[in-house]
Amino acid sequence: MLRFGLCCIFRKEPIKFRRTTAKYLQAFHRNQQLKYLAEICLHNAHSLNKALRYCRDHDIKDFRINSQILPLKTHPDMGYSMEELPFHDQIIQTFKDCGRFCRKHDIRTTFHPDQFILLSSPSSEVIQRSVADLIYQAEVAGWVNADVINIHGGGAYGNKRESLRRLRKGIEQLPEAVRSRLTLENDDRVYAPKDLLPVCRDMGIPLVYDVHHHRCLSDGSSVEATTEMVVGTWSREPLFHLSSPRDGWDSGKPGSHHDYIDADDFPGCWTNLDITVEVEAKAKELAVFKLKQDLIDRAKRIN
DNA sequence: AGCGGTCAAGTTGAT
DNA sequence: ATCAACTTGACCGCT
């Protein structure tokens, strides 16, 4: 069975996650900063709860959690530990409620730290900050029962092989809470599936296959062959990403995401797999509904 | 109420 | 050498 996933936010449904900036917080005293941050964290925990209920009610069985759900958690100036936050017990309990809810209703949750989280950087400071952020996300992942923390390979820094070697070293130093959830994803600029598969195989790290990225940055392998190789890196349900280009394949930047998914972009070889497909489309939950319906319609036409 | 400027982080590649 | 793009909304603050 295919499990479709929604990424982080909603287009129509009024469920919002709050954020703040370090610049805004600068003006406050530390205890005021912590109070403001705690309010946002609790709000976001409640929003996650609502988001998961929405998913259950609408048969969406996977939800990607925004990595800023605890905003500025590891920021050099504004960062904080949970113990520092007022009513942190309540915040953590609310996240744990989310975890119980997901277990009960078989909803998968994932994290996707953003582009600044890099384990292949030549800068040890960058790696250190990245590891700290991964540890924070693993902490939340533990509460909510998320089984994936998915990152990209990062930059090439002029030498891909050397960078991949640093990536391996970076992975080796991760604590178990991160490593047991860590996945690598092929990107659309530097690292194609073929670059990452050896790392994944050697280190027991699953590969998240983004077929749109693969179409942007080919490595000579077909979608079918790559799908098969990628499935082999998973000892649990594989996770794939899908999106459609906003301005078609021939525009200057095919990497931009469309509001919806063109059902023709859904690989036929995925149809009968037991996989999670996270839908990366700007119309969010509406795009998930439309894709499911379009695939049903397509199947009817073929039969 | 509406709107414009702004936002932690790193790297690449266009100019 | 510089700076936008990546992706992208949500927030503050001003009108």
Side-chain angles (χ1 to χ4, degrees):
Chain A
M1 281 295 290
L2 285 166
R3 178 196 298 261
F4 289 96
L6 170 64
C7 296
C8 305
I9 56 173
F10 296 81
R11 162 67 64 99
K12 257 221 161 76
E13 186 67 16
I15 299 171
K16 302 285 183 197
F17 293 91
R18 295 182 59 199
R19 309 192 299 205
T20 187
T21 63
K23 202 158 208 169
Y24 173 69
L25 288 177
Q26 260 177 0
F28 300 118
H29 293 300
R30 182 63 175 165
N31 56 355
Q32 291 176 293
Q33 290 172 352
L34 291 169
K35 182 164 176 285
Y36 189 79
L37 287 161
E39 283 165 2
I40 294 180
C41 292
L42 185 60
H43 170 94
N44 286 351
H46 285 306
S47 288
L48 179 60
N49 214 304
K50 288 180 196 158
L52 296 167
R53 279 164 205 282
Y54 179 93
C55 289
R56 177 199 56 184
D57 294 341
H58 294 81
D59 200 33
I60 294 173
K61 307 292 270 181
D62 171 279
F63 185 72
R64 184 192 300 175
I65 300 170
N66 189 318
S67 44
Q68 295 295 327
I69 192 149
L70 304 184
L72 303 172
K73 181 72 171 66
T74 63
H75 186 278
D77 302 322
M78 298 301 157
Y80 50 92
S81 65
M82 293 309 291
E83 292 71 34
E84 290 180 90
L85 294 182
F87 44 90
H88 59 267
D89 288 341
Q90 207 184 331
I91 296 167
I92 293 169
Q93 276 312 314
T94 306
F95 280 119
K96 288 184 175 172
D97 287 343
C98 293
R100 278 189 288 273
F101 185 84
C102 288
R103 272 207 173 82
K104 185 169 173 189
H105 298 287
D106 183 35
I107 296 172
R108 189 180 202 182
T109 52
T110 69
F111 284 82
H112 194 0
D114 57 18
Q115 59 192 310
F116 309 108
I117 305 308
L118 299 158
L119 294 179
S120 61
S121 173
S123 152
S124 58
E125 286 85 12
V126 169
I127 294 191
Q128 257 185 349
R129 284 197 295 271
S130 297
V131 171
D133 213 71
L134 290 168
I135 289 171
Y136 134 60
Q137 297 193 41
E139 187 180 18
V140 185
W143 299 331
V144 303
N145 196 32
D147 76 309
V148 168
I149 299 175
N150 177 42
I151 62 171
H152 292 289
Y157 312 90
N159 185 340
K160 229 185 212 186
R161 274 183 51 180
E162 198 53 28
S163 300
L164 282 167
R165 196 190 54 77
R166 281 195 304 272
L167 174 63
R168 287 178 189 245
K169 282 187 69 181
I171 293 171
E172 273 168 11
Q173 61 169 280
L174 293 173
E176 186 56 23
V178 179
R179 176 147 183 184
S180 61
R181 297 181 170 93
L182 192 80
T183 62
L184 293 172
E185 177 187 348
N186 62 301
D187 64 78
D188 57 355
R189 298 151 68 95
V190 182
Y191 294 107
K194 264 193 183 162
D195 297 311
L196 298 174
L197 276 165
V199 181
C200 291
R201 289 186 183 122
D202 292 350
M203 307 192 71
I205 303 291
L207 184 71
V208 172
Y209 179 35
D210 187 315
V211 69
H212 180 72
H213 288 162
H214 194 205
R215 287 165 176 153
C216 294
L217 179 70
S218 176
D219 56 6
S221 280
S222 66
V223 171
E224 290 74 17
T226 303
T227 295
E228 197 174 322
M229 289 187 284
V230 167
V231 167
T233 66
W234 286 87
S235 53
R236 52 192 190 277
E237 186 172 304
L239 175 63
F240 293 177
H241 289 176
L242 178 65
S243 50
S244 287
R246 187 185 62 197
D247 306 312
W249 289 101
D250 301 326
S251 75
K253 38 177 193 171
S256 305
H257 290 172
H258 199 277
D259 274 357
Y260 291 92
I261 304 295
D262 182 341
D264 291 340
D265 290 330
F266 185 93
C269 63
W270 290 8
T271 304
N272 293 313
L273 299 179
D274 291 314
I275 56 173
T276 301
V277 178
E278 286 184 341
V279 175
E280 298 184 322
K282 290 160 61 155
K284 298 297 166 185
E285 76 276 22
L286 307 183
V288 176
F289 301 145
K290 183 171 189 304
L291 174 62
K292 280 169 132 179
Q293 190 56 52
D294 288 351
L295 290 175
I296 291 168
D297 293 345
R298 186 173 78 169
K300 277 184 191 155
R301 272 203 312 281
I302 291 168
N303 294 331

